[in-house]
Amino acid sequence: MALLGADVRLTPHRREVFEVLQGSTDHPTATDIFTRVKDRSPSISLATVYNCLEHLSSAGLIKQVHLERGQSRYCANLHEHVHFHCETCGKVTDAHPAAGFDPAKFWNLPAGTKITRTELAIHGTCASCATKG
Amino acid sequence: MALLGADVRLTPHRREVFEVLQGSTDHPTATDIFTRVKDRSPSISLATVYNCLEHLSSAGLIKQVHLERGQSRYCANLHEHVHFHCETCGKVTDAHPAAGFDPAKFWNLPAGTKITRTELAIHGTCASCATKG
DNA sequence: TGAACACTTTAGAATCATTCCAATTCTAAT
DNA sequence: ATTAGAATTGGAATGATTCTAAAGTGTTCA
Ligand SMILES: [Mn+2]
Ligand SMILES: [Mn+2]
Ligand SMILES: [Zn+2]
Ligand SMILES: [Zn+2]
């Protein structure tokens, strides 16, 4: 079972990591996920959690999120969305695009949200690499 | 001298780090900057480079960029712009918004660029934090 | 002039997240 | 059952960054 990219064999550990992430809306880190999965599978190791996250994300079932230096976060929401990061409490939440789309209010953030900074990273292949490859 | 936020005393080292970064368009890492500054000031230490980068960015003179796991990168371009990251060669370049703004072509990327993924992070204060204080 | 204080710089140690490694266990097909 | 390939493990290794404690600089004012 895989949605995008290469297949992943859905072993019990991978399934549990995936399910824990699907059941989380807080963009947990690898160690967050480790402690949550450990409740169900006390024998799992942190190395396996990293390994599962790597396989799941290279299969396109989950995404890695890098908002700031430090631990990577993970997200199982595959719909088009952006991340709102509160610099006061550290919470990371999803924001989905609104219909209608005034660029100022393009992203559907809760009322009262204050935006201080947005960072958009565009990933792809640059023109010179595209012609070479 | 400071543009935003708190002041920084522009010591010789801080000035050199700042000037090296201003003269770079490749979003260098701390160690990149270290080796470039070392050409001019062979006695500077990596700790000082980190220290200068921290002061300069908390004064708003430069920005930290986190595109992927690993080393942070730095940028002295304070104009509104986004980062294009080539996943093949690793280069990071600035892209500035075009006038007129069809969202599909909102960012002025060189012809031939292939976009595979964009990540927008919105930073700020969430509604509950904003009301608390 | 020069003691006092605050800030900067330094080398090296410490920390933290992640990746690597080598050994073991599991799975799926013969 | 046998066996090859993949998954899992704990611990070691790595790499980036931060911390620490000591030494340097420089500004103020008795
Ligand atoms: Mn998300
Ligand atoms: Mn930039
Ligand atoms: Zn908040
Ligand atoms: Zn390229």
Side-chain angles (χ1 to χ4, degrees):
Chain A
M1 175 224 194
L3 302 179
L4 308 160
D7 270 44
V8 231
R9 231 171 87 188
L10 250 301
T11 65
H13 280 342
R14 290 182 188 164
R15 180 181 301 282
E16 292 203 79
V17 167
F18 185 47
E19 284 175 8
V20 161
L21 187 57
Q22 276 192 131
S24 303
T25 57
D26 63 342
H27 301 82
T29 64
T31 52
D32 291 339
I33 294 166
F34 176 54
T35 49
R36 291 175 201 180
V37 172
K38 225 170 165 17
D39 289 343
R40 310 203 217 168
S41 298
S43 74
I44 198 171
S45 73
L46 179 56
T48 296
V49 170
Y50 272 108
N51 185 313
C52 292
L53 290 169
E54 161 62 26
H55 281 269
L56 292 168
S57 55
S58 69
L61 293 171
I62 65 174
K63 291 188 301 185
Q64 270 200 338
V65 180
H66 299 120
L67 297 177
E68 34 175 12
R69 135 135 297 286
Q71 297 177 87
S72 299
R73 293 164 168 278
Y74 297 85
C75 173
N77 179 352
L78 297 179
H79 297 108
E80 185 188 4
H81 71 283
V82 301
H83 293 120
F84 175 71
H85 175 226
C86 177
E87 294 181 318
T88 305
C89 65
K91 282 202 194 75
V92 175
T93 52
D94 289 343
H96 294 88
F101 153 149
D102 167 1
K105 351 185 125 162
F106 185 49
W107 301 104
N108 211 356
L109 295 164
T113 301
K114 295 217 183 73
I115 297 177
T116 56
R117 178 168 60 98
T118 64
E119 300 237 357
L120 172 64
I122 304 173
H123 299 258
T125 306
C126 68
S128 73
C129 286
T131 54
K132 275 182 217 142
Chain B
M1 175 226 194
L3 302 180
L4 309 160
D7 269 45
V8 232
R9 232 171 86 189
L10 250 300
T11 65
H13 281 341
R14 290 181 189 167
R15 181 180 299 283
E16 292 204 79
V17 166
F18 186 47
E19 284 174 8
V20 161
L21 187 58
Q22 276 192 131
S24 303
T25 58
D26 62 342
H27 301 81
T29 63
T31 52
D32 291 338
I33 294 166
F34 176 54
T35 50
R36 291 174 202 180
V37 172
K38 223 169 169 12
D39 289 343
R40 310 203 217 168
S41 298
S43 74
I44 199 172
S45 74
L46 178 57
T48 298
V49 171
Y50 272 108
N51 185 313
C52 292
L53 290 169
E54 161 61 27
H55 281 269
L56 292 168
S57 55
S58 70
L61 293 170
I62 65 173
K63 290 186 302 185
Q64 271 201 335
V65 180
H66 300 120
L67 297 177
E68 31 172 16
R69 132 134 301 282
Q71 297 177 86
S72 298
R73 293 164 167 278
Y74 297 86
C75 173
N77 178 352
L78 297 179
H79 297 107
E80 185 189 3
H81 72 284
V82 300
H83 294 120
F84 175 72
H85 174 226
C86 177
E87 294 181 318
T88 305
C89 66
K91 282 204 195 74
V92 176
T93 52
D94 288 344
H96 295 86
F101 137 167
D102 169 0
K105 4 184 112 163
F106 185 50
W107 301 103
N108 212 355
L109 294 164
T113 301
K114 294 216 182 75
I115 297 177
T116 57
R117 179 167 60 98
T118 64
E119 301 238 358
L120 172 65
I122 305 173
H123 299 258
T125 305
C126 69
S128 73
C129 287
T131 55
K132 272 181 220 145

